[in-house]
Amino acid sequence: MPGPASARPGQPILVPMRLLSIKYRLLILLTLILGAGFMATSLASYLASRQAIEHGIADQTLPLTGDNIYSEIQKDMLRPVFISSLMAHDTFVRDWILAGESNPAQIVRYLAEVKKKYGAITSFLVSDKSSKYYYAEGTLKSVSPEATRDIWYYRVRAMQNSDYETNVDIDMANRDSMTIFINHRVYDYDGQFIGATGIGLTLDTMSHIIDRYQARFHRNIYFVDGAGALVLAGKTMRDGHANIRKLPGVNTIADQIINHRSEPTHLSYQQDRAQILVNSRYIPELGWYLVVEQNVSDEVRSLQGVFILNLAISFGVTLLVLVLTLLTVNRYQRRIERIASTDALTGLMNRKSLELLFQRAMLLSKRNAQPMSAILFDIDFFKRVNDTHGHLWGDKVICGVADVARATVRESDVITRWGGEEYLVLLNNCSLAQAVEVAENLRAAVERHDFGLPEPQLPVTISLGVAEYRPEESESAFFSRADSALYQAKQGGRNGVHAS
């Protein structure tokens, strides 16, 4: 027989509250650990990445960009150089000059064909014998050593170590537009200088090249001349007529840029709190300086976006971990509570849980003045089942009786496995007569049920004792009366119901 209840009425509430407090302390601690870990990792990654970006831009990216652009410029200049070389070595050109230039229409037509075929802005020939300047539309003029615009010709004429040059000059045949000329020396069959020929490219062509490079490398790229004037720049750069000596920030390093050195120069300056890294080099083919700039802040800004994204991902991961932890803790808490309150074999509430539940049921019965009854029953001659068919079949019979009881009693009734083969049903708002009726239905249902026992078949019946709770009766007295009623049912021949 059970003794007095081992748990006070308030205890079932205090235990969950204590568990709840421990659970939330665990979640807070886990949040702090994950938050601190993710923040430290993200911040360290951000600082290391920023330092790596700055070193990479200064030591590798900008010099490599400058080298690539210089190589691309040289490659783009190869085709016009090749065309000028073909013109200079064309036997028609040499024969026409040596024949005395008797028919200017022939060379004009030739120059027009070269211009059209190769898409040049201009094509020209200057004869050293007549000093005449021919182009695609006729004879432009006669060159003279006293004319400033003709200095280029006499410079080409005096060249000793190269057969051609590249220079930037105005083109009188093209409305005095700034043009890049490829000037090639022409020799007779004995190797004597007899003139100069070549083609011209406008600066617009070079501007398109700069735009293409700038779009590819995402950096400011421009050319300045020896005086610091900005002669070529992409669409996203400054005014093409500005001078770097007057531009904010870059004016502090203008003299270092214009240094007449072909090897790259690494520089930097500050502008509007942003650090601008600069790489410059002299281009002897053009007589200009190639300058490549990059704002480190732009790269760092994108890195800051990654940093914020990392923090957002970290927050999401932390939230997910907390949710999963909460679900796991709740799941295991429910599992522990279920293990602590239910019988492992039958899934019924165990005796300890019923003792705690009885305190509430007793108070409810007193408050509402409603009757409360209990049915205590056990399996008749259960030892025979174990001895005849083994404990496995005995467990199956215990579970089967529990299933029959669940299907027979009311939904509001609480079924408990009281002992080995003993069960107790607590019936709220149920008089003794009603409880006896429920007990009789349960007895009959068990008697009719087929438990599937092998041969030899043993009958499975139950004996039931019924008691109604009396006001001011103790728990032990109430269950003792039910136990006495069960004893009387067994004494009366078993497979019966006795009320007390």
Side-chain angles (χ1 to χ4, degrees):
M1 286 298 301
S6 59
R8 292 184 298 274
Q11 188 172 356
I13 300 176
L14 294 176
V15 172
M17 287 179 64
R18 188 161 56 248
L19 291 176
L20 189 66
S21 176
I22 295 173
K23 177 171 66 175
Y24 282 106
R25 284 204 302 269
L26 171 64
L27 292 177
I28 293 173
L29 180 61
L30 187 60
T31 301
L32 293 176
I33 293 174
L34 288 176
F38 280 129
M39 177 62 74
T41 302
S42 299
L43 185 60
S45 176
Y46 167 74
L47 294 177
S49 299
R50 177 172 181 168
Q51 186 177 17
I53 285 175
E54 292 178 354
H55 285 300
I57 291 174
D59 300 336
Q60 298 179 7
T61 305
L62 290 185
L64 181 60
T65 301
D67 291 341
N68 288 340
I69 293 174
Y70 183 42
S71 299
E72 290 286 344
I73 289 174
Q74 288 181 318
K75 183 182 71 174
D76 287 332
M77 297 299 289
L78 284 178
R79 186 170 181 271
V81 169
F82 177 70
I83 296 170
S84 298
S85 177
L86 288 179
M87 295 171 65
H89 290 86
D90 196 318
T91 56
F92 167 76
V93 174
R94 290 186 289 182
D95 290 343
W96 184 82
I97 295 175
L98 294 174
E101 309 172 33
S102 58
N103 189 353
Q106 292 179 325
I107 197 65
V108 170
R109 185 167 54 249
Y110 171 83
L111 293 173
E113 286 294 325
V114 169
K115 176 182 175 182
K116 179 180 178 181
K117 180 177 181 179
Y118 296 107
I121 299 301
T122 184
S123 57
F124 62 90
L125 170 67
V126 179
S127 170
D128 193 60
K129 181 178 180 181
S130 65
S131 298
K132 290 184 178 181
Y133 186 112
Y134 300 99
Y135 74 115
E137 296 181 10
T139 303
L140 183 64
K141 66 172 185 173
S142 294
V143 298
S144 169
E146 287 79 23
T148 303
R149 290 190 172 186
D150 298 335
I151 293 176
W152 69 270
Y153 173 74
Y154 296 97
R155 184 178 62 247
V156 173
R157 184 182 186 189
M159 286 193 311
Q160 298 292 329
N161 299 323
S162 179
D163 290 335
Y164 73 93
E165 71 160 12
T166 302
N167 81 301
V168 180
D169 204 349
I170 60 174
D171 183 8
M172 290 186 298
N174 194 24
R175 298 180 181 178
D176 283 352
S177 61
M178 291 298 292
T179 305
I180 301 174
F181 289 98
I182 312 299
N183 306 318
H184 205 292
R185 290 165 59 90
V186 181
Y187 301 96
D188 63 13
Y189 298 104
D190 295 325
Q192 299 298 316
F193 179 80
I194 60 174
T197 189
I199 61 173
L201 305 172
T202 65
L203 289 184
D204 289 339
T205 304
M206 290 298 294
S207 295
H208 292 313
I209 296 173
I210 297 301
D211 287 337
R212 187 172 73 247
Y213 298 155
Q214 196 161 267
R216 181 190 305 175
F217 299 114
H218 303 290
R219 297 172 182 92
N220 288 335
I221 303 167
Y222 56 94
F223 290 89
V224 296
D225 61 16
L230 195 63
V231 292
L232 264 182
K235 294 179 180 179
T236 61
M237 261 302 294
R238 306 176 178 89
D239 179 10
H241 300 290
N243 191 298
I244 61 173
R245 296 184 187 276
K246 299 180 181 179
L247 294 175
V250 71
N251 60 345
T252 60
I253 58 171
D255 291 334
Q256 295 171 271
I257 292 176
I258 308 170
N259 54 19
H260 295 281
R261 294 198 313 225
S262 59
E263 63 272 14
T265 302
H266 309 303
L267 304 167
S268 67
Y269 66 89
Q270 295 289 328
Q271 184 179 18
D272 298 330
R273 297 183 181 180
Q275 183 182 12
I276 311 297
L277 299 182
V278 179
N279 181 270
S280 69
R281 67 186 303 164
Y282 181 66
I283 308 296
E285 292 87 348
L286 301 176
W288 295 342
Y289 294 89
L290 169 62
V291 183
V292 182
E293 289 185 355
Q294 181 159 354
N295 188 341
V296 179
S297 301
D298 292 339
E299 295 295 326
V300 173
R301 192 175 298 112
S302 63
L303 191 62
Q304 290 172 345
V306 174
F307 175 65
I308 294 174
L309 179 61
N310 284 340
L311 290 181
I313 294 175
S314 300
F315 175 78
V317 171
T318 301
L319 185 61
L320 179 61
V321 170
L322 292 178
V323 170
L324 292 177
T325 301
L326 182 61
L327 292 176
T328 302
V329 170
N330 288 339
R331 177 183 176 186
Y332 278 96
Q333 182 179 344
R334 288 194 299 269
R335 183 177 179 183
I336 292 172
E337 292 173 353
R338 186 169 58 253
I339 291 173
S341 62
T342 59
D343 174 61
L345 178 62
T346 62
L348 299 176
M349 185 178 292
N350 60 25
R351 183 170 179 170
K352 183 69 175 178
S353 299
L354 182 66
E355 289 177 352
L356 297 176
L357 182 63
F358 177 77
Q359 301 296 326
R360 299 177 185 176
M362 182 178 62
L363 293 174
L364 184 64
S365 176
K366 290 180 179 180
R367 183 182 303 116
N368 299 331
Q370 294 177 347
M372 179 176 66
S373 301
I375 302 172
L376 182 64
F377 67 94
D378 70 357
I379 303 173
D380 298 330
F381 304 111
F382 179 72
K383 187 174 182 300
R384 293 179 185 177
V385 178
N386 283 336
D387 293 342
T388 304
H389 300 295
H391 289 280
L392 182 61
W393 277 103
D395 290 344
K396 290 183 178 180
V397 170
I398 289 175
C399 292
V401 171
D403 292 338
V404 173
R406 269 191 290 256
T408 304
V409 301
R410 303 173 307 175
E411 288 188 10
S412 60
D413 299 335
V414 179
I415 310 173
T416 306
R417 187 180 178 191
W418 196 247
E421 69 273 16
E422 284 187 317
Y423 306 82
L424 187 141
V425 182
L426 188 64
L427 304 97
N428 291 308
N429 193 19
C430 183
S431 64
L432 181 63
Q434 293 172 320
V436 169
E437 183 179 354
V438 172
E440 179 59 31
N441 292 336
L442 178 57
R443 183 204 64 77
V446 171
E447 184 180 26
R448 293 192 304 269
H449 186 73
D450 181 10
F451 289 89
L453 291 172
E455 296 293 339
Q457 291 251 343
L458 296 176
V460 178
T461 59
I462 57 174
S463 298
L464 306 94
V466 183
E468 182 179 347
Y469 177 73
R470 297 170 183 173
E472 306 303 328
E473 186 178 26
S474 68
E475 177 185 355
S476 59
F478 176 49
F479 289 132
S480 178
R481 287 193 299 108
D483 185 63
S484 297
L486 172 61
Y487 179 77
Q488 292 297 325
K490 287 182 176 291
Q491 289 296 315
R494 304 179 189 271
N495 191 20
V497 177
H498 186 84
S500 171

